[in-house]
Amino acid sequence: MILNLIHRPATGRLRSMFDLQQQMAHSLGLKVTVLIPYDTMFEPDIVQGLLEDHSRYGDELGIWFGEIATDRMNEVFECREPFLWLHTQENKRRIIDTVLHKFSAVFGCAPRAVGSYHLDAESMRLLHETCPEVQTCIAGCFEEGVKVFHGCNNSWYLFNEGMPWGPWYPAQNNTLRPATDEDEWSGMVAVPHLCRDLALSYEGRNDFFATHPANVQRAMANEGSSAPYVFNLVDLYRYQERFNHGFSYINVFVGPNWLSGSPNIQDTDAETQKLYYDYLSYFVKLRQEGALQDMTMSEFALWYKRNVPVGAAQIYDAKEILYGGGKEYFWSISPQMRLTLDLCQGGSIGDLRPFVSQIPRCTGADTSVGVMGSNPYLIHSQYRTGNAHHYSDGSRTTLLVGCGNETLDLANTPLRLEKIQRRDDAIFLQLSSARLSFSNGISAEIQTSYEISGANLRIHRTLHTVSDAAQRLRLTEYVKGCWGVTEYPESLKGVILTVQNVQGKKDSLEFSYLGRTRQFAEATSAAVYIPTLQTELALTTDLPCAASIVEGYLFNPYYTLSVSRELEQGEEITTCLSIHKQL
C-alpha cells in the first residue's frame, strides 16, 4: 500500500491545530504534502514555518485550490463563488495565474502538487498549460453528489458521481473519466479527495465513511478515541492488492478545523486528537511490517506513471465492515465503463456509467451543465427504484426464472463472490450458486459468472441442477434502465428501442411514453440508443432467443431489454451487455 498524508495550514485559532498535525507526522517520520491556500501565502510566519519544515523534514509544498472566496480574492475578481471549478473560463485562468504567481514569489519554485474538491476539464487544462511542473492533483470527491447534497440540507453543490475511487489518469475532456491512452490523457496523475468506503458509498452519504477519522466521528461510528472501523477500512483497501497486481493506494487529508471545536463532532478535542495520532501511528506500524510505503504526492505520481499503464482497469471488492450485515459489492473501472454489481441482489448491476461514450464535462457559470460534474449513468438502482418495493421496479438488471406460471427474481437471492481472476485485459467473476424453490415443489440451482472486458459484460448462466430433470425452466436476462445524473428522471424522448431477429429484421420504437412492446420469438439482440449521450446499450445472445423491448410511461419512465430461452438441466445461456458510442 502507498500512503499520501496531506495537510492544509490554517490561520487564527486553528494555526495551533495545523502545527499539532505537523508535529505528529514529523515525530512519526511520515512524509507530508502540505497544500497551501492562497490567503495563507500572505502570512509571513506561516510561510517561514513551512519553508523550515520543507528544509528539515522534506515536506512537499503545493497549492490548495479549495475555498477561494476570501476577501482578498473577492477584491480582485468581484465574485463570491467559493470554488475554482464553478467560475467562468476567464476567471479560472485569472485565478490560476494569480495563485501560481504568488506561490512562486513566496516559495521560489513552482508547485508539483495541487488539490481541490474538484478540478474540471477546463481548470486542469489551464493548470497544465500554465504550470507543467505540476505532476499530480486532488481532482474529485468520489460519489459526492445527490446523497451528500441532501445530507447537507441541500446546500453542498459538489456533484462528482461516476468517477474513479482510486488514482487515475484523467481524460482531457472529462477529468472524472480515466483516459483511454496517452494521447487523451490530461498530463497529470489524479487522486481522490479521501478514500471512501465503497459499500457505504453505494448505499448512502459517503462523506461520513472515509479515510478521515473525524468524518467517522461525525458518523458516530466510534466510541471516544476508539474507532476500529477506520482502521478496518485501511485493511480493506490493503485487501484490494490481491486483485490489482499488488497495488493499493490510500490518502489522509484532515483539515485543522476537525481537530478542535468542530460542531460536527460529539467527542472532546483530546479524544479527536488522540484518534488522529493513533491513526497515523497505524500507518507507521504497517510501514515497519513492510506493508506500506509513505510518499509525497509528486513522488507517488512518478511511481504511478512508472508502474501503472494508462488505460489499465481497477477493481474493488467492497465488503460492508461497519454494521456486520454481510453485504458485498463489486466495482470495476476502465476507460470504457464503470460497473457496480450488487451481490445482495443476486449480483445484479446497481450502477453503470458509459465512459466509452467519452461525454465531455466542464463545469462553471458559463457552461451548459453548471454545477453538475457527475458522469451520467445508464443504470442506477439506488436513485431510480431498482427492485420493486412500492409501485413497480425501476433501473436495474436481473435474471428472471420461470417454471409454469410462476417467475422468481434472482435479485431476491443474496449471493457471494467466490472467485475473482484477471487474465490479460479481462476480469472474470464467479458467483455462489443461487438456489431457487417454486411453489409446485420444483427447485433449481443456477450458477452465474461474468466476464468484463472493455465496454462489454458477458453473462454466463448455467442451469446446474433441477430437482426434476425433465422440467425445463425459462431463463430471462432482464435489463431495465434510463439515463440521468440525479434521482430525478431525464427526458427519454428521442430514445430508440430496437429488437432484431435471426434473419436480421429489425423492429423499432421511438420513445413516446406509451408503454408499447415489440418482440421476436427468435432474435439475436435488443438495444436502446440514447441520442443525448450518443450511446447505445445492447443486449445480445450467442444463440437464438426470444427477445423484447418495452417502452415505459411517465409513471414508470424506463426502457426494458430482455432475452429469454428455455433450458434443461446442464444447459446454459450466454448474453453480452455492451455499450457503444454512436454518432
Side-chain angles (χ1 to χ4, degrees), residues 174-186:
N174 182 342
T175 55
L176 299 186
R177 174 177 64 81
T180 304
D181 51 36
E182 292 196 6
D183 290 337
E184 198 196 14
W185 176 35
S186 66

Side-chain angles (χ1 to χ4, degrees), residues 381-399:
S381 66
Q382 289 284 312
Y383 288 166
R384 304 299 302 277
T385 304
N387 206 352
H389 63 85
H390 186 66
Y391 167 70
S392 177
D393 71 338
S395 179
R396 68 187 186 114
T397 67
T398 192
L399 179 72

Side-chain angles (χ1 to χ4, degrees), residues 503-569:
Q503 287 81 33
K505 180 182 178 181
K506 296 181 179 180
D507 197 351
S508 298
L509 290 171
E510 182 171 347
F511 209 104
S512 299
Y513 296 94
L514 299 176
R516 296 168 292 174
T517 299
R518 297 289 185 271
Q519 57 191 2
F520 284 123
E522 289 195 327
T524 57
S525 68
V528 58
Y529 171 65
I530 304 168
T532 305
L533 307 182
Q534 297 183 335
T535 299
E536 180 189 67
L537 181 67
L539 182 64
T540 58
T541 178
D542 293 347
L543 297 173
C545 293
S548 69
I549 52 174
V550 179
E551 169 197 36
Y553 41 91
L554 283 172
F555 208 75
N556 197 239
Y558 304 96
Y559 48 75
T560 304
L561 317 174
S562 65
V563 297
S564 62
R565 185 179 178 86
E566 282 196 350
L567 301 183
E568 61 184 30
Q569 180 174 288

Side-chain angles (χ1 to χ4, degrees), residues 90 105 111 130 133 141 203 212 317 328 375 391 446 486 504 558:
E90 178 57 29
T130 307
E133 293 89 347
C141 294
E203 293 187 347
H212 186 303
D317 181 12
E328 184 177 11
N375 282 308
Y391 167 70
I446 295 174
T486 70
Y558 304 96

Side-chain angles (χ1 to χ4, degrees), residues 80-96:
R80 300 198 62 83
E81 185 66 70
F83 296 112
L84 175 66
W85 72 87
L86 297 178
H87 277 266
T88 64
Q89 178 179 342
E90 178 57 29
N91 265 8
K92 288 172 185 172
R93 180 183 297 278
R94 293 173 63 200
I95 291 167
I96 288 169

